[in-house]
Amino acid sequence: MTAVGIDAIEIWTGKLRLDLPNTFAPEMGEDPEKYTKGLGLESSSFPDVYEDIVTMGANAAKRLMDRKGLTPDDIGRIDVATESAFDNSKPVSTYIAGCLEQVYDGDFHHANKGERKFACLAGTQSIDDAYNWIKAGRNRGRAALVIATDTALYERDDPGEATQGAGAVAMLITENPSIVELSTEQGYGSADETDFLKPNQQFPSVDGKRSVQVYLARMREALEDYESVSGDTHPDDFEYVPFHTPFPGMVRKAAVLGYRHTSRDTEIEEELTDEIGRQPREADFESREEYTEAIRDYMDDLKGMDQYREWYAETIEPTLSISRNVGNWYTGSVHIARLSALRHALERGEELAGKQMLVGSYGSGAQAEIHAETIVDGWTEHVEAVEVEDQLARRYDISFDEYELVHDVHNHEKEVDVEAFTTPEAEFVFTGWGRMNERRYEYVE
Ligand code: HMG
């Protein structure tokens, strides 16, 4: 069977940086440790005044095409995943293709373009679409370009304001990929939920605490569904487990649940029995409530066990390093978690070819999806080429007053005129509106 998966990855971070514990927390009257210890965040990325989902997506895609030496003719499909779109009809992928056509010979007239929506899950769903398109033999030898791009802004003073972020991830999906091959097996957990939504409004309506519970419930369902096709999983089956990361503290909650589930009926559960007992079984309880409470107690104990802590340090913690410094990128979030893990492995010189990751994607509304990825020979060269640390380090540090201005600049209901904080160089920029209220872009040398 032909292997299909991710052949190249590039990112583009919003060019502004807000220091959460030192700049944001004091102004909000909060303890900085809520960020560093609770949510697990150091800083977030914001778009400068000339940046938006199109410029960030086009800039990530250009970086990817330049590095791979691609022309428009090599790409048969462009899917953009976003929940920050500004048009209910014309997809963001057409704007991005228009940008790219300004700088490459040829055009994308032959390419199928679309926009995927299911909150943060849409990036993974776009990869699925590309996978199916290639597996069906409809790609005529061409690759698919998937771009996950978002400005994750919340209303001022909404609790979600703590977890904002902005950036794009571009991924090339091909046959015989250079980074990871995707599994055919997938698992879903999907239900009609009202935890986080944007009913024709720019900023989300969020039931934050509930959204955390919905994330965990759907992720558990997806894991069970995945195991129904892959067979039981074991914590040691996977080198890394990248999750959708709205903030690292969320992944901390998901990870312990995943570990409990996958270590049940294994030698790990046996080893831990003397210290924390066996895992509670529902059949041993009279009510669901009693069972749920027993499970909660078990997981509190599990978190303190060396076995779990070592697994977490090796398998989960490395997926969080980019997210900690950029906040929530919505559709791009799980894809920077994968990239963080691979960069970590590269730094440590790990031999990963043939090894597996389990990837847990999630979108509010709500649906979780779980699949496995096998890392392929030659992955190091393609992961090393992604410019991550320099991009993050180059961001301009904004003060709290500047943050307030930037939030207003990107608020569709406000009109404010603010000078850019950085100078664009070799990138696409937003230049204003055209006669039909379309957004316009140009490439700045
Ligand atoms: P909050 O009220 O700002 O924060 O809401 P909190 O008071 O709950 O504190 C957060 C954590 O920090 C807690 O840890 C505190 O204990 C801890 P936890 O108990 O949960 O383990 N903490 C401290 N720790 C140490 N020292 C301190 C300290 N103070 C507090 N001094 C909330 C947090 C996540 C609800 C809020 O930020 C929010 O509404 N965020 C937006 C929604 C969200 O991100 N939900 C996540 C799941 S849904 C999802 O992932 C989908 C999404 O990406 C959208 C999509 O799919 O499109 C959001």
Side-chain angles (χ1 to χ4, degrees):
M1 273 228 299
T2 321
V4 175
I6 306 176
D7 188 62
I9 306 174
E10 281 292 342
I11 65 164
W12 188 276
T13 174
K15 291 167 83 176
L16 308 180
R17 172 182 181 275
L18 178 66
D19 185 319
L20 292 167
N22 298 306
T23 304
F24 188 68
E27 291 284 347
M28 301 299 285
E30 291 174 322
D31 184 340
E33 293 201 336
K34 167 181 163 182
Y35 292 85
T36 51
K37 297 204 168 139
L39 297 169
L41 288 166
E42 293 293 336
S43 59
S44 41
S45 286
F46 287 89
D48 205 336
V49 302
Y50 55 83
E51 294 189 291
D52 66 10
I53 51 170
V54 172
T55 65
M56 294 188 298
N59 287 322
K62 178 170 184 302
R63 210 187 264 276
L64 185 150
M65 287 180 66
D66 286 349
R67 180 157 64 75
K68 295 290 290 184
L70 302 175
T71 65
D73 200 41
D74 298 314
I75 291 165
R77 182 178 178 111
I78 305 179
D79 285 303
V80 170
T82 186
E83 50 183 301
S84 320
F86 45 78
D87 193 309
N88 286 324
S89 173
K90 182 175 157 59
V92 170
S93 49
T94 59
Y95 281 100
I96 291 184
C99 286
L100 297 171
E101 284 171 354
Q102 292 180 30
V103 296
Y104 292 109
D105 288 338
D107 58 51
F108 290 101
H109 291 199
H110 57 272
N112 187 6
K113 306 181 189 83
E115 190 172 299
R116 253 294 189 172
K117 178 172 71 179
F118 199 141
C120 302
L121 181 65
T124 297
Q125 290 184 318
S126 300
I127 294 178
D128 275 354
D129 293 341
Y131 177 95
N132 294 338
W133 174 69
I134 295 172
K135 284 275 185 183
R138 290 176 146 181
N139 61 319
R140 298 188 240 160
R142 288 181 166 127
L145 183 59
V146 166
I147 302 163
T149 180
D150 271 299
T151 49
L153 293 182
Y154 290 77
E155 194 100 56
R156 293 296 315 278
D157 295 325
D158 184 291
E161 199 183 3
T163 64
Q164 299 176 115
V169 183
M171 290 165 283
L172 196 71
I173 312 302
T174 63
E175 286 173 43
N176 301 318
S178 305
I179 301 180
V180 289
E181 177 188 344
L182 306 177
S183 66
T184 309
E185 295 79 16
Q186 291 176 297
Y188 292 101
S190 188
D192 177 11
E193 299 276 8
T194 45
D195 53 331
F196 169 112
L197 54 156
K198 297 181 179 178
N200 285 328
Q201 64 197 42
Q202 183 189 3
F203 300 124
S205 299
V206 195
D207 184 343
K209 303 284 181 215
R210 193 173 136 61
S211 76
V212 169
Q213 295 313 318
V214 175
Y215 177 121
L216 297 174
R218 303 287 80 81
M219 201 61 89
R220 183 181 50 73
E221 276 174 3
L223 181 56
E224 283 168 357
D225 193 45
Y226 174 75
E227 287 183 325
S228 74
V229 279
S230 74
D232 284 349
T233 52
H234 183 285
D236 297 339
D237 288 347
F238 305 100
E239 292 301 298
Y240 297 106
V241 182
F243 280 102
H244 167 57
T245 312
F247 53 92
M250 180 71 239
V251 172
R252 219 167 37 224
K253 296 180 202 293
V256 66
L257 211 134
Y259 189 86
R260 181 192 62 73
H261 179 92
T262 55
S263 62
R264 177 178 279 213
D265 291 327
T266 69
E267 77 293 352
I268 299 177
E269 186 185 11
E270 284 308 312
E271 276 165 33
L272 294 174
T273 305
D274 283 348
E275 287 168 281
I276 59 173
R278 281 183 84 233
Q279 294 195 20
R281 294 338 198 232
E282 192 163 3
D284 299 336
F285 291 85
E286 289 197 349
S287 71
R288 177 92 195 159
E289 288 69 39
E290 282 173 44
Y291 169 64
T292 312
E293 206 181 313
I295 285 280
R296 215 176 290 130
D297 290 345
Y298 181 84
M299 289 203 295
D300 279 345
D301 293 341
L302 184 59
K303 276 188 244 172
M305 294 294 102
D306 285 347
Q307 286 91 328
Y308 173 70
R309 294 164 82 96
E310 276 162 29
W311 174 83
Y312 185 89
E314 293 284 318
T315 315
I316 304 292
E317 186 62 34
T319 68
L320 303 174
S321 58
I322 302 179
S323 164
R324 240 182 243 305
N325 288 294
V326 300
N328 195 352
W329 282 12
Y330 285 163
T331 53
S333 156
V334 66
H335 307 293
I336 52 179
R338 176 200 293 107
L339 181 60
S340 296
L342 294 174
R343 301 278 297 184
H344 171 87
L346 188 72
E347 277 162 26
R348 300 214 311 194
E350 285 175 14
E351 278 299 329
L352 284 189
K355 304 219 165 125
Q356 289 210 311
M357 292 188 284
L358 192 69
V359 179
S361 304
Y362 176 75
S364 283
Q367 183 164 305
E369 189 264 12
I370 287 185
H371 68 266
E373 299 183 356
T374 307
I375 300 147
V376 298
D377 238 352
W379 64 278
T380 48
E381 182 194 329
H382 298 271
V383 169
E384 194 164 22
V386 189
E387 194 198 59
V388 178
E389 289 76 15
D390 287 354
Q391 258 197 76
L392 297 188
R394 271 201 306 271
R395 289 173 297 171
Y396 171 87
D397 260 301
I398 48 178
S399 65
F400 188 79
D401 289 349
E402 289 170 334
Y403 160 68
E404 294 197 299
L405 283 174
V406 168
H407 199 285
D408 283 351
V409 167
H410 294 287
N411 182 337
H412 297 168
E413 308 219 316
K414 294 198 174 170
E415 264 192 50
V416 282
D417 199 12
V418 178
E419 288 277 311
F421 297 91
T422 58
T423 308
E425 198 187 326
E427 63 189 281
F428 297 102
V429 298
F430 167 65
T431 56
W433 283 266
R435 84 186 159 90
M436 291 176 76
N437 207 23
E438 76 276 20
R439 292 172 76 90
R440 302 183 70 97
Y441 301 91
E442 69 181 34
Y443 187 73
V444 174
E445 293 292 344

